[in-house]
Amino acid sequence: MPDRFAFRQVDYRDIPTFLADGEIRSKNHGAPQRCHQTSLPGLVGLRSTGAFTLPYGGVVNDYVAFYFSPLTSFTCSIHRESVEVIDPNGVKLGMSKLDDRAFIVCRTDGFPASGAPYCFSDYPLNSMAPLPTLSADIGQLETHVHWSVFDDYPLTARIPEIGYDGVCKFFFNKFPPPKYQLRKQQRMAEFLVKDAVSLQQVTCIVVPSDGMKRTIQAQVDTSGWGTPVLEKPGCFVR
């Protein structure tokens, strides 16, 4: 079975909070982290409802959400400055920029041993069409997710340091051929972890520039976590 990875894009200014807490918490966590919010309001609203049946109960915002590649239509919107960012005090800071973004990357096969409740979907949990289905069995990962739209050529965004072979550079819908008709939605399949993700599960932090790498590396070194920080501009849509 190929190595599979989960990617969570964050505002780099929130990384010190994660390092201090030793974990990344869900939006609805009992002790929520004060983070920058970068999301589309309508989609977040649906994630706070009981629209989806989750294996461990609750709503989507009770989980920390990851995607299966760094390149999705939503990350494209953020990088092209189409999504507003709001600071922890509720102040609007304008449009989020690529240079403010970083990825938290985890190996999916590390979660069963961690004891953290996890599950994954075949479509994004922000729309009812197509209706996503979920599984909590890591043994079903290769058949539940539409990997053909991830593994198709041409590949980009490789991270050889961790064994990530990259993802197809194209992620929007296209018809014909029929296999790309729902590519955008399939590429936004999600990996969810209930409540919080320990930094012990984090394989690396990926950043777009050498300047940010130096900044985040200094924060990681001070924290004592030792998480690798990798400069990979190819993981960010320009």
Side-chain angles (χ1 to χ4, degrees):
M1 186 171 71
D3 292 334
R4 299 299 186 186
F5 294 85
F7 296 78
R8 179 175 177 83
Q9 191 178 135
V10 300
D11 191 299
Y12 84 97
R13 292 167 288 196
D14 295 328
I15 290 178
T17 297
F18 305 146
L19 294 171
D21 292 340
E23 62 185 11
I24 305 163
R25 297 174 184 164
S26 70
K27 187 177 181 67
N28 288 351
H29 193 279
Q33 292 167 322
R34 288 171 52 79
C35 293
H36 292 73
Q37 302 299 315
T38 310
S39 54
L40 300 173
L43 301 184
V44 173
L46 186 60
R47 295 168 78 87
S48 66
T49 72
F52 307 105
T53 301
L54 299 164
Y56 302 102
V59 299
V60 178
N61 283 339
D62 294 325
Y63 296 72
V64 182
F66 293 78
Y67 298 93
F68 291 108
S69 86
L71 304 183
T72 67
S73 59
F74 181 58
T75 57
C76 180
S77 295
I78 292 176
H79 299 164
R80 293 179 178 174
E81 302 183 23
S82 300
V83 184
E84 193 169 51
V85 59
I86 301 172
D87 79 3
N89 295 315
V91 177
K92 295 181 179 180
L93 302 180
M95 297 302 178
S96 183
K97 298 178 174 59
L98 179 153
D99 292 337
D100 295 335
R101 311 302 293 175
F103 283 106
I104 305 294
V105 187
C106 302
R107 290 184 62 99
T108 58
D109 60 8
F111 282 98
S114 75
Y118 68 89
C119 57
F120 47 89
S121 68
D122 49 356
Y123 289 101
L125 294 156
N126 57 25
S127 172
M128 305 295 285
L131 182 67
T133 61
L134 293 105
S135 172
D137 179 1
I138 202 69
Q140 296 181 358
L141 183 62
E142 282 302 304
T143 55
H144 194 78
V145 175
H146 297 90
W147 290 112
S148 62
V149 298
F150 292 85
D151 299 340
D152 204 2
Y153 286 87
L155 295 175
T156 190
R158 293 181 65 247
I159 311 174
E161 294 90 338
I162 63 171
Y164 179 62
D165 293 330
V167 65
C168 180
K169 67 182 293 185
F170 303 117
F171 47 85
F172 284 108
N173 292 343
K174 178 183 178 182
F175 187 82
K179 69 176 182 177
Y180 297 143
Q181 189 171 5
L182 292 174
R183 178 167 59 183
K184 173 183 174 181
Q185 294 91 331
Q186 292 167 347
R187 282 282 289 267
M188 290 192 67
E190 300 187 43
F191 190 91
L192 304 176
V193 183
K194 189 78 163 24
D195 296 327
V197 174
S198 168
L199 293 192
Q200 293 178 340
Q201 297 302 121
V202 175
T203 304
C204 67
I205 299 171
V206 170
V207 299
S209 66
D210 181 64
M212 189 188 294
K213 180 180 186 299
R214 291 195 300 270
T215 297
I216 300 304
Q217 188 67 67
Q219 295 168 350
V220 170
D221 292 344
T222 299
S223 74
W225 275 102
T227 309
V229 182
L230 305 175
E231 178 194 358
K232 296 293 175 182
C235 290
F236 297 80
V237 181
R238 293 187 182 273

